[in-house]
Amino acid sequence: MENIQKVDTSVGTFMAGKVEFYEDGSVKCAEPQEPVFVSHETGLYIAYDNTPLKDEEHLPTIEFGPDGKVTALRTLGTGLICRGKDGASLLIGAQWRPDPRDTGANVLMPIRICFFENELLVTNSDGEEIHLPFDQYEIQVDYLTDNIVMGGGCGDCSTCNGCRIQGE
């Protein structure tokens, strides 16, 4: 069973598992048990990954710098609408993809957003990195809250009996 604990961070107090700390005791990274809202100059983000893959990918859902600021997050519930100064538009959000565990099912793959001083670096559901410099893109946050519910749903995968009703 995962060790769940209450952690105090710059974005509030929440229950989390797999918490890592800096030497001074501040939180380095954590796996929130519920959505955590992160405010950034580009919008309000939802840090949350309730997919079965989160345990296998070994990437934290929320990461903090030594100063306590959020440096990166994984999300199912936040998408980005990016309008380039050149007129191009990008829509980035968690997408359904074939399960990398070869179960034959499709799974919702979260996106990862890294926050830098002058840009966002987004890793999309296909693992592609997209640089979004603030001087080249207007970024608008979009909420994909249905993904949070659907991401935790059971696909009745042949490799997992975790969601089956006892006795079936």
Side-chain angles (χ1 to χ4, degrees):
M1 178 173 233
E2 191 173 5
N3 183 21
I4 307 296
Q5 58 189 300
K6 185 185 287 189
V7 294
D8 294 314
T9 71
S10 60
V11 294
T13 301
F14 55 88
M15 300 302 289
K18 295 184 184 177
V19 181
E20 290 182 32
F21 297 93
Y22 286 104
E23 287 185 19
D24 68 359
S26 61
V27 177
K28 184 176 185 178
C29 61
E31 289 299 323
Q33 298 300 300
E34 56 198 29
V36 172
F37 294 89
V38 175
S39 182
H40 183 263
E41 65 184 271
T42 55
L44 186 65
Y45 294 79
I46 303 170
Y48 192 57
D49 179 3
N50 63 336
T51 65
L53 295 176
K54 76 176 180 182
D55 298 326
E56 296 180 20
E57 292 184 340
H58 309 292
L59 291 173
T61 296
I62 190 166
E63 301 171 53
F64 299 89
D67 61 358
K69 287 185 178 178
V70 173
T71 58
L73 61 83
R74 287 166 45 105
T75 182
L76 297 168
T78 306
L80 300 173
I81 301 168
C82 312
R83 292 180 183 87
K85 304 273 189 217
D86 62 359
S89 292
L90 292 171
L91 301 175
I92 307 169
Q95 300 291 317
W96 291 93
R97 296 292 183 255
D99 189 337
R101 300 169 297 175
D102 293 325
T103 63
N106 283 331
V107 294
L108 193 57
M109 299 294 287
I111 62 172
R112 182 171 187 255
I113 302 170
C114 297
F115 300 95
F116 294 100
E117 186 175 332
N118 298 312
E119 75 172 351
L120 298 181
L121 173 62
V122 180
T123 304
N124 68 15
S125 294
D126 295 319
E128 300 166 339
E129 290 187 346
I130 303 163
H131 290 268
L132 300 169
F134 298 150
D135 64 349
Q136 295 178 25
Y137 288 94
E138 177 188 321
I139 299 168
Q140 180 182 344
V141 173
D142 189 26
Y143 299 107
L144 312 169
T145 52
D146 284 349
N147 282 354
I148 292 174
V149 175
M150 293 167 38
C154 181
D156 196 27
C157 302
S158 62
T159 60
C160 173
N161 291 323
C163 298
R164 293 180 191 253
I165 299 171
Q166 291 290 339
E168 281 192 356

